[in-house]
Amino acid sequence: MLEIKPIFNALLRSKVGAVLLLIQIAITTAIVSNAAFIINDRIEYLNQPTGYQEDNMFKFNVMMFGTDVDLIQQVELDEATLRQMPGVVNAVHINAVPLTGGGSSTTFRLKPAPDKAKTDTASYFETDEHGLDTLGVELIAGRNFTQDEVVINRDFSKHPNVALATKALMDELFPDGDGLGKIIYMGDQPLKVVGIIGMMKGPWLKLEERKDKSVILPLLYPHKLQQFLVRTEPGQRAEVMKQIESVMHQSYGKRVIQDLKGLDKKKANYVAEDLLMMRMLVILISVLVLVTALGIFGLTLFNINKRTKQIGTRRALGARKSAIVKFFVVENSIICLAGLVLGVCGAVVLGQQLMTQYSVPALSYEYVAITALGVFVMSLFAVIGPAKRAANIAPSIATRTI
Amino acid sequence: MLSHYIDLSWRSFKRTPLVSFLMVLAIAIGIGVTMTSLSVYHMMSMDPIPNKSKKLFAVQLQTMDEVETWFSSDDLPYQLTYKDTTNLLNADLPYKRAAMMKTGFSVHLNSDKVKPFFETTRVFSRDAFEMFNLSFIHGGVWSIEQEESAAPVVVISQSLSKKLFGSDNSVGQTLYLDDLSMRVVGVIKDWQLHVKYYDLNNGSFNDPEQIFIPFSLIKANEINTWGNTNGWKYEVVKTFSDKLNSEKVWLQFWVQLNNAAEKQAYSEYLANYIAQQQTQGRFNRKDAQYKLRDVNEWIAYWEVVNEDNKIMVALSFMFLAVCIANILGLLLAKFLRRAPEVGVRRALGASKRQVFYQHIVEVAMLGLFGGVVGILIAQLGLLGIRQSYSYYDSLANMDLIMLLTAPVIAIAACIIAALYPAWLVCKTNPSTYLKTQ
């Protein structure tokens, strides 16, 4: 039915062009499937839920250089001032801000140090009883700590003795799910877990084993350098942020306000490198597909020019236009399929290389399959135009030149 | 002869503008994409202090107990304890050395003239300025006496001097770091670096600091680090002096060793130092480990060139290969169409070699054009990177080496693509075409 044999013979007569096309298709398939896989991996990373209303939150740093003020009193005054501002839901002094790449982490254990016991590493946040509400994360069991439980000092002479922990940490330390109300230790310091928090990402989204594990401690330890976190009513953030510097300076002037940024901006800054990689890969594969399509288009055009006489003769001998189109489509499909076989192998090999040499996860084969299908469809589109043009070659051209 | 070939090539371009344009475009896109990722890679991996990188060594000491592990590739802590840093700094040895730490202050003049601002600050020991090639334009480094007595003195950069005092020369002026009143003793030329190699612990591509204060101020003024503090064992650290006496690591230490003999001698010193500390109950390990890494080894150890960049470079070269395959196809079409003309030239006495050269010259010119256009595309790509990620500002640029590399790769790629078509065309049998003329 399909004249595979004569087409194949014709192919063998112009091997180089076919081989070039085959190579292009193979490399394109290998690159595109792996790049698409990495892109999707990054998209998942960039869009992962964090547990925060990032658009309604912002942070800022305060650097106190005046010495004529009591830091503890000033922090409490600042918190009260912030909480009274119109549009503000809640605000706290906090030692670290989530999603920023900067914070503290430590080992939490089931027995006091230095006893050997089950341990796990988690980020910790030091803030007061407003912390939970300011962060806006969900308490799924137990209670928040109370104002009386908040320890305020400047010399670590007193420790808090309660804490809130995320479910991810509690599941690790208490696999039976009975962690609420139990004691965990930070060094030799006991902490009773009074509440369990659902989704709450820590400062480091890249540390897979730590990003979901956090502890909130009722502790205020004001340094000269302070961080504040504020959550506002939807749509009020910009207005509140505008006033922060003057509000803070009104209450006390000898300090610098810095890094006043929305939580979404801080997160964007933290993930910028991954976003950049994703964008570069998207551009790379778009251009690559375009170049390959042009290559197929150009080569078919070249083939047709070379075979004008042959086509004319075939038309003169009674071949239908559709037969001519079919000829080129089948020819291209043979090359394309051969290229795809090579490309699929190449994709798998490249995927394995990326996995062994770099921390890229194992390539899932549906990406290869979809890419192969896409490249095949693209090659059909690229060949159909030139093939139609070939079909329109008048038989007279052949008779004229013979 | 070359100029004649160039002339022929130019005529050839004008005769087949579309195919030539497509080829230039293909090579330009290939080069543009490749140079974008290669430039970032090049800047990241570039030697930041070429005349000294073999002489400056970052010191690492294995302070951890036998079973403890670290997140570095060889289990060695990246930084040093205060104890070790001061011991190494004060050792009676002839080698230049630099103990340092990142910190920061609110900077102000205690007046309304300049609005107070945040500024990161580097705590430095005296030799550091000379070791890292920081050149003074006014004044100089603080004296040994000032270093020892923790004098409130400061060295600042030229730009900071301009910002605070409106002039390059601010020696003798006073500025405030928080509540510390500091006297400027020196102004250095701005420290410009692509990679902040001296303190990779706290970000590889941050801007270098503009304020430098004596190392002895750490203890005297209880200055805390703005970088990482890491611990590996449980210690009660409540006061600043607890921290100074603890096994927590938070300081960087570099030593300048000018030749292999000095490196050997310093290694022996470190081995002895560890042995001596072991008698005091520290360094509880059978194999007393230390490591001296020079600047480039340090950069490689820290994997400053991250995986993403390496993957991008690899993928863009594969992309370039696709472009070359494309060009090869176009060249085949172009050259073979010219076979009759070549047949005549061969019949008139041109040697195969001459025909071959002529075609190579033609594609080399294509490569050159493509390379130049490719540089423009790469500039767009780098602009996109800078817009997308400001942290890469100083990296997403092409230096002279990259600007020269672009056309070299472009021309080489084109010549590789042209070898087969040119060979095909030069072995044309003249008689075939003479018949049809």
Side-chain angles (χ1 to χ4, degrees):
Chain A
M1 188 193 74
L2 290 172
E3 310 94 329
I4 302 260
K5 199 162 182 324
I7 294 176
F8 196 69
N9 286 340
L11 258 182
L12 287 182
R13 250 174 279 131
S14 57
K15 280 189 290 274
V16 184
V19 167
L20 285 175
L21 199 56
L22 191 142
I23 292 173
Q24 281 194 53
I25 287 173
I27 300 181
T28 304
T29 311
I31 297 184
V32 171
S33 49
N34 275 285
F37 179 67
I38 298 177
I39 290 169
N40 192 55
D41 189 53
R42 294 299 154 102
I43 290 176
E44 273 177 23
Y45 168 77
L46 293 169
N47 291 343
Q48 65 182 310
T50 60
Y52 305 106
Q53 303 170 26
E54 292 152 41
D55 298 344
N56 298 331
M57 292 163 81
F58 69 91
K59 66 146 294 194
F60 60 95
N61 295 345
V62 177
M63 184 78 175
M64 309 278 287
F65 60 83
T67 48
D68 52 344
V69 64
D70 181 272
L71 283 182
I72 291 175
Q73 278 178 6
Q74 188 59 46
V75 162
E76 296 199 278
L77 179 67
D78 288 338
E79 281 189 329
T81 313
L82 288 169
R83 285 168 196 157
Q84 278 163 12
M85 285 174 72
V88 170
V89 175
N90 216 332
V92 280
H93 174 274
I94 195 164
N95 71 320
V97 176
L99 316 180
T100 59
S104 298
S105 71
T106 190
T107 306
F108 290 89
R109 39 182 81 227
L110 292 183
K111 283 184 185 164
D115 286 4
K116 293 270 177 278
K118 186 163 194 174
T119 65
D120 200 14
T121 306
S123 321
Y124 63 90
F125 296 92
E126 299 167 357
T127 183
D128 64 18
E129 77 279 9
H130 294 269
L132 192 68
D133 184 44
T134 308
L135 288 163
V137 290
E138 192 194 358
L139 189 70
I140 53 175
R143 61 168 178 90
N144 189 5
F145 39 76
T146 62
Q147 194 177 357
D148 308 338
E149 287 167 332
V150 178
V151 172
I152 307 176
N153 65 45
R154 296 256 302 126
D155 55 3
F156 293 115
S157 56
K158 278 188 294 176
H159 294 295
N161 50 26
V162 295
L164 305 174
T166 60
K167 187 166 182 299
L169 176 67
M170 295 306 278
D171 285 349
E172 182 68 31
L173 290 175
F174 302 96
D176 296 337
D178 57 348
L180 186 65
K182 294 265 170 68
I183 305 284
I184 58 173
Y185 294 86
M186 192 175 173
D188 60 351
Q189 163 202 347
L191 295 162
K192 186 179 172 188
V193 181
V194 295
I196 297 180
I197 302 163
M199 165 78 73
M200 173 181 170
K201 299 285 179 194
W204 305 283
L205 290 172
K206 276 195 188 87
L207 300 175
E208 197 58 45
E209 72 288 352
R210 206 179 298 168
K211 65 181 182 189
D212 291 315
K213 295 172 182 167
S214 295
V215 170
I216 304 181
L217 300 169
L219 176 65
L220 228 55
Y221 175 69
H223 303 258
K224 286 188 300 185
L225 177 58
Q226 302 159 357
Q227 282 190 97
F228 287 89
L229 183 66
V230 181
R231 183 156 71 88
T232 65
E233 307 278 2
Q236 302 286 303
R237 190 176 74 176
E239 188 53 37
V240 175
M241 281 173 79
K242 243 188 274 170
Q243 303 166 26
I244 288 295
E245 192 159 353
S246 65
V247 165
M248 294 301 277
H249 275 144
Q250 250 163 38
S251 116
Y252 181 66
K254 290 179 190 170
R255 51 184 176 179
V256 181
I257 311 298
Q258 186 246 8
D259 201 29
L260 177 65
K261 285 201 180 82
L263 195 60
D264 48 350
K265 290 271 157 46
K266 290 300 288 184
K267 183 189 168 197
N269 196 36
Y270 177 69
V271 298
E273 204 170 357
D274 298 272
L275 188 66
L276 175 67
M277 174 75 168
M278 194 199 82
R279 285 184 184 161
M280 284 175 81
L281 286 174
V282 168
I283 292 174
L284 179 82
I285 62 174
S286 317
V287 179
L288 181 60
V289 167
L290 199 71
V291 167
T292 307
L294 279 176
I296 297 172
F297 183 81
L299 200 79
T300 316
L301 221 54
F302 170 60
N303 271 338
I304 289 163
N305 281 340
K306 235 171 48 175
R307 295 186 204 157
T308 307
K309 272 187 220 170
Q310 182 203 346
I311 295 164
T313 313
R314 280 192 67 195
R315 293 276 288 123
L317 293 174
R320 288 163 171 272
K321 284 187 178 183
S322 65
I324 305 291
V325 173
K326 200 169 24 167
F327 180 91
F328 284 105
V329 169
V330 171
E331 181 186 69
N332 179 70
S333 301
I334 292 174
I335 302 171
C336 189
L337 286 175
L340 285 179
V341 170
L342 206 65
V344 166
C345 299
V348 172
V349 172
L350 181 63
Q352 276 165 354
Q353 287 296 316
L354 290 176
M355 188 178 63
T356 49
Q357 298 199 6
Y358 307 109
S359 55
V360 175
L363 174 69
S364 71
Y365 295 125
E366 64 199 72
Y367 283 84
V368 187
I370 293 170
T371 307
L373 191 70
V375 170
F376 187 74
V377 171
M378 179 199 79
S379 81
L380 283 183
F381 274 113
V383 79
I384 228 132
K388 274 193 175 153
R389 209 166 104 176
N392 284 332
I393 291 174
S396 58
I397 290 184
T399 42
R400 207 185 300 147
T401 46
I402 282 181
Chain B
M1 215 51 186
L2 185 67
S3 60
H4 175 58
Y5 289 159
I6 292 175
D7 181 49
L8 280 179
S9 308
W10 184 239
R11 284 162 193 263
S12 158
F13 291 156
K14 283 196 289 194
R15 217 176 324 143
T16 53
L18 182 68
V19 178
S20 305
F21 172 74
L22 280 179
M23 279 191 281
V24 169
L25 191 67
I27 191 72
I29 293 174
I31 290 297
V33 168
T34 308
M35 291 316 291
T36 303
S37 58
L38 197 61
S39 296
V40 175
Y41 179 87
H42 169 74
M43 284 304 205
M44 280 183 172
S45 57
M46 194 166 60
D47 190 337
I49 180 163
N51 57 345
K52 263 195 167 164
S53 56
K54 294 268 179 302
K55 295 178 181 170
L56 298 175
F57 292 88
V59 179
Q60 283 177 281
L61 295 171
Q62 180 52 284
T63 51
M64 293 190 297
D65 286 351
E66 196 71 65
V67 291
E68 301 289 337
T69 54
W70 197 256
F71 48 83
S72 58
S73 55
D74 56 1
D75 276 345
L76 282 170
Y78 295 120
Q79 304 184 93
L80 298 191
T81 63
Y82 183 77
K83 257 187 281 192
D84 293 322
T85 310
T86 46
N87 288 342
L88 296 185
L89 186 63
N90 298 329
D92 185 20
L93 290 169
Y95 317 120
K96 294 204 182 308
R97 62 210 101 160
M100 58 171 88
M101 176 186 90
K102 176 189 176 185
T103 187
F105 299 95
S106 40
V107 180
H108 60 105
L109 297 180
N110 210 17
S111 74
D112 295 337
K113 264 190 282 178
V114 175
K115 191 182 166 207
F117 56 93
F118 252 53
E119 193 65 52
T120 55
T121 298
R122 186 137 295 262
V123 182
F124 246 7
S125 59
R126 272 189 94 241
D127 292 345
F129 293 95
E130 197 188 321
M131 284 171 69
F132 296 106
N133 289 351
L134 297 181
S135 52
F136 283 88
I137 45 176
H138 296 289
V141 63
W142 49 79
S143 68
I144 296 171
E145 293 72 38
Q146 286 172 323
E147 169 94 46
E148 279 170 358
S149 64
V153 288
V154 63
V155 168
I156 60 175
S157 74
Q158 189 179 4
S159 347
L160 192 73
S161 178
K162 280 212 181 93
K163 179 172 173 181
L164 282 170
F165 304 106
S167 110
D168 271 357
N169 190 355
S170 53
V171 174
Q173 301 270 22
T174 298
L175 61 87
Y176 285 81
L177 300 179
D178 290 351
D179 50 340
L180 297 174
S181 154
M182 310 286 279
R183 191 165 55 83
V184 178
V185 291
V187 178
I188 57 157
K189 217 168 91 190
D190 287 353
W191 197 2
Q192 276 163 344
L193 280 177
H194 297 113
V195 176
K196 204 175 173 185
Y197 64 95
Y198 56 89
D199 186 8
L200 294 172
N201 207 66
N202 296 311
S204 316
F205 312 117
N206 297 317
D207 294 327
E209 291 83 358
Q210 304 201 55
I211 304 178
F212 304 87
I213 59 174
F215 190 78
S216 47
L217 291 183
I218 291 182
K219 191 175 180 182
N221 294 68
E222 303 205 348
I223 296 171
N224 227 322
T225 175
W226 272 24
N228 291 316
T229 300
N230 302 107
W232 52 271
K233 69 170 185 180
Y234 176 68
E235 289 173 290
V236 181
V237 176
K238 289 191 171 174
T239 64
F240 196 76
S241 76
D242 285 346
K243 184 169 180 179
L244 296 185
N245 291 318
S246 72
E247 291 296 330
K248 300 216 179 298
V249 293
W250 48 295
L251 299 151
Q252 301 92 44
F253 191 83
W254 288 79
V255 60
Q256 182 175 334
L257 304 166
N258 295 315
N259 49 49
E262 287 189 3
K263 191 184 174 194
Q264 178 62 30
Y266 197 77
S267 301
E268 278 163 23
Y269 163 76
L270 286 178
N272 286 333
Y273 171 75
I274 293 173
Q276 177 241 324
Q277 290 289 309
Q278 277 174 333
T279 64
Q280 298 173 20
R282 300 181 65 218
F283 292 89
N284 288 318
R285 278 204 178 221
K286 275 205 286 293
D287 54 333
Q289 276 190 65
Y290 57 86
K291 193 84 196 178
L292 292 168
R293 286 190 165 89
D294 73 22
V295 172
N296 290 317
E297 288 166 344
W298 190 238
I299 288 174
Y301 176 65
W302 266 97
E303 294 176 2
V304 163
V305 183
N306 67 25
E307 288 184 349
D308 282 0
N309 297 92
K310 291 180 188 165
I311 293 173
M312 274 313 295
V313 170
L315 291 184
S316 22
F317 270 97
M318 290 173 76
F319 176 79
L320 187 62
V322 171
C323 293
I324 291 177
N326 231 320
I327 293 165
L328 213 165
L330 291 167
L331 282 175
L332 267 180
K334 182 172 177 170
F335 284 1
L336 288 184
R337 201 183 294 168
R338 203 191 290 160
E341 177 198 333
V342 171
V344 176
R345 284 190 54 204
R346 292 273 290 115
L348 291 176
S351 73
K352 280 185 183 180
R353 175 175 298 194
Q354 282 168 329
V355 172
F356 187 77
Y357 277 160
Q358 185 218 320
H359 286 89
I360 293 295
V361 168
E362 182 170 341
V363 292
M365 278 186 68
L366 276 177
L368 185 65
F369 292 151
V372 171
V373 180
I375 289 175
L376 296 178
I377 295 176
Q379 294 298 344
L380 275 179
L382 292 169
L383 180 73
I385 290 179
R386 290 195 296 267
Q387 300 279 333
S388 183
Y389 193 30
S390 59
Y391 192 49
Y392 276 13
D393 265 357
S394 62
L395 293 167
N397 283 300
M398 289 177 93
D399 63 359
L400 193 63
I401 297 173
M402 283 294 113
L403 285 173
L404 294 176
T405 305
V408 170
I409 296 181
I411 292 171
C414 279
I415 289 179
I416 289 170
L419 286 177
Y420 178 72
W423 175 72
L424 216 57
V425 98
C426 75
K427 73 171 191 174
T428 306
N429 189 351
S431 57
T432 325
Y433 295 101
L434 287 178
K435 259 189 286 177
T436 54
Q437 287 290 311

